[in-house]
């Protein structure tokens, strides 16, 4: 007996496990604590360095505040660092620094950047983005790094009782497993 995951994102999950700050609701417990973790992380890295946070899955439904950080809260926690909060492999939240670094503006084409969530009145990006990982630097890595990341998450899944995983999305998942 064991768990079978039919919709895994092995390369993305492996990358998050190995290189992202743990911002999962089960770890931080609240939105305010997440913002504290972000502020602490900014104090530990050079200004301008990307801060990548893995939020797990449906973070907003697992914290007492029942929501994600607003763009203003995100900006206040990391004003001098491009910052990403990955809620799932499909939904990201960026602060203003990151939006600017990625060229996501009121004028940018939504299709090129994924589905950019925008303020209905001003048209300005709110920080939320669906399917935007294609233009995010943390996922543009050499195949050898992907292989290491995949190995790390597979090891963790085996410890938790997974017996089968169907990876979706990235060709590098398969390449890393075959190599």
């Amino acid at each position: 007996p064991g768990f079978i995951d039919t919709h895994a994102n092995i390369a993305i999950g492996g990358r998050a496990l190995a290189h992202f700050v743990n911002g999962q609701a089960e770890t931080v417990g609240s939105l305010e604590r997440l913002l504290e973790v972000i502020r602490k992380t900014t104090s530990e890295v050079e200004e301008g360095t990307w801060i990548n946070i893995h939020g797990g899955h449906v973070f907003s439904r697992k914290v007492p505040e029942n929501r994600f950080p607003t763009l203003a809260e995100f900006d206040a926690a990391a004003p001098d660092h491009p910052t990403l909060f990955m809620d799932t492999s499909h939904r990201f939240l960026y602060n203003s620094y990151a939006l600017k670094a990625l060229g996501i503006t009121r004028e940018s084409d939504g299709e090129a950047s994924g589905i950019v969530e925008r303020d209905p009145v001003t048209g300005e990006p709110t920080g939320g983005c669906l399917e935007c990982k294609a233009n995010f630097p943390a996922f543009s890595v050499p195949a050898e790094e992907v292989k290491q990341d995949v190995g790390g998450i597979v090891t963790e899944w085996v410890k938790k009782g997974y017996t089968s995983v169907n990876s979706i999305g990235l060709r590098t998942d398969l390449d890393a497993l075959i190599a």
Side-chain angles (χ1 to χ4, degrees), residues 36-54:
E36 288 173 20
V37 167
I38 294 169
R39 286 190 288 272
K40 180 179 183 301
T41 304
T42 64
S43 71
E44 297 170 350
V45 297
E46 188 175 324
E47 188 174 306
T49 302
W50 274 91
I51 296 176
N52 306 310
I53 302 128
H54 182 249

Side-chain angles (χ1 to χ4, degrees), residues 145-167:
E145 277 191 47
V146 174
K147 183 177 179 179
Q148 291 172 356
D149 296 344
V150 167
I153 198 162
V154 168
T155 300
E156 288 302 309
W157 284 344
V158 167
K159 288 179 190 175
K160 294 179 179 182
Y162 285 74
T163 58
S164 301
V165 176
N166 180 36
S167 184

Side-chain angles (χ1 to χ4, degrees), residues 10 38 46 75 78-79 85 88 91 97 100 106 110 136:
I10 295 175
I38 294 169
E46 188 175 324
D75 287 348
F85 178 83
T88 70
R91 185 165 196 274
Y97 196 126
K100 183 176 179 183
R106 181 172 31 163
F136 180 63

Side-chain angles (χ1 to χ4, degrees), residues 25 55-63 68 87-88:
H57 189 69
V58 294
F59 174 89
S60 65
R61 294 184 186 151
K62 296 178 182 177
V63 293
F68 293 106
D87 181 46
T88 70

Side-chain angles (χ1 to χ4, degrees), residues 143 146-147 150 170-179:
V146 174
K147 183 177 179 179
V150 167
L170 298 176
R171 172 70 190 165
T172 50
D173 288 4
L174 181 60
D175 293 342
L177 290 171
I178 293 171

